[in-house]
């Protein structure tokens, strides 16, 4: 493996599972880069009072901090495979954690350590690309979501004038069909902000309250 290929491999690994000093740097960088779509995602959750919210791939905890600052008495839980980023999130949100408003959990979306119907809203921002088993992940999300709860998955499907056909096919050929099989309702693809030239979209649905 040449130097360029080795560096690319390191960066790919760090973005999927950030670790160490470089992982901490990447976590902070992602906060700055993804701020527009993060705030847009939170807005589109349309949170009511006393929501129990799970963020999958919470990273360094910026989105969680924004939710904790809202006047809604929300409880927010962050799940991530990176212990480095969870440490960053803990520092960023130490007050909310101390007040039992927030919890951080090390784990993966494919096998979440939460009871059935634990959360009224589940969301993720730019983490779906790294889910190893999309079907299993979505089944887990449906399991931990309470009846009437919302799931919102934010990702990018293009940049500038370029459409990312692989991502678009994944949305139309996998994400939406699997969510429909799980009997999630009100399935939609929302058009989000253009962030650093990247086109933001969100796939969302609601767990039926009559099952």
């Amino acid at each position: 493996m040449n130097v360029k290929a080795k560096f690319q491999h390191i960066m790919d690994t760090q973005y999927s599972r950030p670790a160490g000093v470089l992982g901490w740097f990447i976590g902070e960088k992602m906060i700055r880069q993804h701020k527009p779509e993060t705030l847009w995602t939170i807005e589109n959750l349309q949170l009511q009072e006393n929501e129990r919210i799970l963020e999958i791939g919470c990273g360094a905890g910026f989105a969680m901090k924004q939710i904790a600052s809202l006047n809604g008495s929300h409880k927010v839980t962050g799940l991530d495979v990176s212990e480095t980023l969870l440490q960053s999130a803990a520092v960023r949100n130490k007050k909310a954690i101390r007040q039992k408003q927030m919890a951080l959990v090390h784990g993966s979306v494919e096998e979440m350590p939460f009871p059935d119907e634990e959360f009224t809203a589940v969301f993720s921002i730019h983490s779906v690309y790294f889910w190893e088993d999309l079907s299993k992940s979505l089944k887990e999300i449906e399991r931990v979501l309470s009846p009437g709860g919302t799931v919102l998955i934010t990702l990018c499907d293009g940049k500038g004038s370029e459409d990312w056909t692989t991502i678009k096919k994944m949305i139309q050929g996998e994400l939406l069909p699997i969510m429909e099989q799980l009997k999630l309702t009100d399935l939609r693809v929302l058009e989000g902000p253009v962030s650093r030239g990247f086109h933001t979209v969100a796939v969302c649905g609601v767990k039926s309250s009559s099952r």
Side-chain angles (χ1 to χ4, degrees):
M1 185 182 293
N2 61 35
V3 173
K4 183 178 179 181
K6 185 177 291 187
F7 176 76
Q8 186 61 51
H9 174 72
I10 291 171
M11 293 306 293
D12 290 345
T13 301
Q14 284 290 351
Y15 272 95
S16 63
R17 193 185 292 260
V21 175
L22 179 58
W24 174 87
F25 171 79
I26 287 174
E28 297 303 310
K29 179 183 178 183
M30 287 191 290
I31 286 176
R32 295 191 299 271
Q33 290 180 332
H34 301 158
K35 186 174 180 179
E37 57 264 46
T38 297
L39 298 178
W40 173 79
T41 297
I42 294 170
E43 180 182 351
N44 277 279
L45 285 173
Q46 299 182 346
L47 298 173
Q48 306 301 311
E49 294 288 323
N50 300 309
E51 297 262 17
R52 304 184 309 279
I53 305 149
L54 170 66
E55 180 179 9
I56 297 168
C58 65
F62 175 75
M64 299 177 69
K65 187 175 182 67
Q66 303 309 302
I67 292 172
S69 70
L70 299 174
N71 294 322
S73 301
H74 305 306
K75 301 286 187 181
V76 58
T77 299
L79 179 78
D80 207 286
V81 296
S82 168
E83 293 180 339
T84 296
L85 293 188
L86 288 173
Q87 291 169 3
S88 294
V91 172
R92 177 168 276 107
N93 294 286
K94 57 185 178 181
K95 181 179 179 181
I97 293 170
R98 187 171 61 246
Q99 294 176 343
K100 309 294 186 184
Q101 186 183 4
M102 185 183 297
L104 298 169
V105 178
H106 181 249
S108 71
V109 62
E110 288 87 3
E111 198 169 336
M112 294 192 281
F114 306 119
D116 294 354
E117 303 182 356
E118 177 75 1
F119 303 101
T120 59
V122 177
F123 75 100
S124 78
I125 302 171
H126 296 313
S127 73
V128 66
Y129 322 112
F130 308 111
W131 297 358
E132 295 180 4
D133 187 325
L134 198 56
S135 179
K136 189 174 182 180
S137 299
L138 290 169
K139 286 178 182 177
E140 275 290 270
I141 290 172
E142 190 274 340
R143 180 184 68 79
V144 303
L145 193 62
S146 64
T150 297
V151 54
L152 198 152
I153 300 169
T154 297
L155 66 163
C156 289
D157 67 352
K159 184 178 183 182
S161 60
E162 177 187 1
D163 282 337
W164 292 349
T165 55
T166 301
I167 297 295
K168 286 181 176 290
K169 286 179 180 177
M170 184 265 284
I171 292 171
Q172 296 298 328
E174 295 184 77
L175 263 179
L176 288 170
I178 294 170
M179 292 169 78
E180 186 174 9
Q181 288 171 10
L182 293 170
K183 296 185 168 44
L184 294 171
T185 63
D186 196 21
L187 296 178
R188 293 171 292 155
V189 179
L190 307 177
E191 294 286 338
V194 176
S195 176
R196 299 172 295 117
F198 293 93
H199 309 157
T200 302
V201 296
V203 180
C204 60
V206 176
K207 183 170 179 175
S208 174
S209 54
S210 57
R211 300 196 59 161

